[in-house]
Amino acid sequence: LKIVHRIGVADIPDSVTPIAPTINCSLIVSSARVLNKLFINPMKRTPEVAFVVNDSTKVTTVSSFDHTSVASSIGGGPSLSQQQQNNNPGLSIWSNVSLKTETSMACDEFDHYAWRDDRCCNGTNDDANGSNFDGDDVPPNVNEEVCLVFAIKDVKAFLQFCSQASSSMDEEMPVNVYFEWGGRPTIFECEGESFISRLIMATLDHRLLQQHDTTTNNTNSANIGSANG
């Protein structure tokens, strides 16, 4: 069995290239092999994943994501308004019977891990390093944890390419993962001797995510109370 990946390369000076800054992002550096274990292997039938990085516990978690299984904002953020729920009826439903796949990995298993813990959440429009953004859009617990929801199909193809490139070079090329918070792009980058490959993924805005853990705990407490009663 022989698998060949053919990639067209063209020199087009007037082409449009997506640009996403990386200078003020948090960073994970790891091999494609390790990232495949975290993202791809357990999530083969999942179109979208929720990638949670918790700096307090130094643990990363990837779980299958379903738009109908979201109930209140992740990280203690504001709940969806009634108008938002009407516009996005699937986001206002919590399904306790949804089957979810989850995998976790400690941050010390990566080659390098660098976390930004100086984000402003007070409504100002810059952070400690001068990056401009709307402070109201920053999650309240952005300095402790972020949740990034994105499609996994393109990430899978990118990591497969990195693995094949590493095999042809007889060495594992590191993959850089740059991220900020939900609603900001997540960037996957791999650099070889004669190329730089970059994948920029849009992420779901953190305000559309909801605190499903709180809803689940409340439901479980109610069930336990009924059983004890």
Side-chain angles (χ1 to χ4, degrees):
L1 176 63
K2 182 179 181 180
I3 300 176
V4 178
H5 298 275
R6 301 186 183 277
I7 300 176
V9 179
D11 184 10
I12 307 177
D14 297 329
S15 63
V16 177
T17 303
I19 297 176
T22 61
I23 188 171
N24 292 317
C25 293
S26 297
L27 172 65
I28 289 174
V29 181
S30 186
S31 65
R33 174 180 52 83
V34 172
L35 294 178
N36 269 317
K37 290 181 180 179
L38 180 63
F39 283 103
I40 307 305
N41 296 345
M43 306 291 168
K44 293 182 178 179
R45 299 183 181 274
T46 301
E48 291 181 300
V49 297
F51 177 40
V52 178
V53 184
N54 190 312
D55 187 62
S56 300
T57 60
K58 297 293 189 293
V59 172
T60 60
T61 303
V62 176
S63 60
S64 52
F65 180 80
D66 182 3
H67 284 273
T68 64
S69 64
V70 185
S72 60
S73 149
I74 288 246
S79 300
L80 292 178
S81 65
Q82 187 61 46
Q83 181 179 359
Q84 287 175 310
Q85 294 182 26
N86 292 338
N87 293 337
N88 302 275
L91 294 178
S92 62
I93 301 174
W94 167 250
S95 174
N96 288 319
V97 297
S98 296
L99 176 62
K100 293 185 178 298
T101 302
E102 181 177 294
T103 180
S104 298
M105 183 173 292
C107 293
D108 58 10
E109 296 192 41
F110 303 126
D111 295 334
H112 178 67
Y113 169 77
W115 176 263
R116 282 288 308 276
D117 61 356
D118 55 354
R119 307 291 188 185
C120 294
C121 309
N122 55 5
T124 59
N125 61 357
D126 57 5
D127 64 7
N129 289 336
S131 297
N132 293 325
F133 55 82
D134 185 353
D136 292 333
D137 293 341
V138 181
N141 66 334
V142 67
N143 292 324
E144 292 80 34
E145 180 183 86
V146 294
C147 180
L148 310 165
V149 177
F150 49 82
I152 197 64
K153 180 179 179 180
D154 295 329
V155 177
K156 178 180 180 181
F158 180 85
L159 293 179
Q160 286 178 338
F161 166 76
C162 295
S163 296
Q164 291 294 327
S166 296
S167 299
S168 63
M169 297 177 62
D170 295 327
E171 63 176 351
E172 284 194 324
M173 292 186 301
V175 177
N176 300 329
V177 184
Y178 300 93
F179 60 93
E180 292 184 88
W181 58 83
R184 290 271 184 148
T186 295
I187 303 124
F188 294 81
E189 185 180 79
C190 181
E191 182 174 355
E193 294 182 354
S194 58
F195 71 90
I196 296 177
S197 179
R198 175 178 287 187
L199 173 66
I200 302 176
M201 296 297 300
T203 62
L204 188 65
D205 194 296
H206 68 91
R207 289 168 295 183
L208 294 178
L209 296 171
Q210 301 184 337
Q211 183 65 38
H212 60 270
D213 291 336
T214 301
T215 304
T216 304
N217 291 336
N218 290 341
T219 302
N220 291 338
S221 298
N223 292 337
I224 293 173
S226 299
N228 291 338

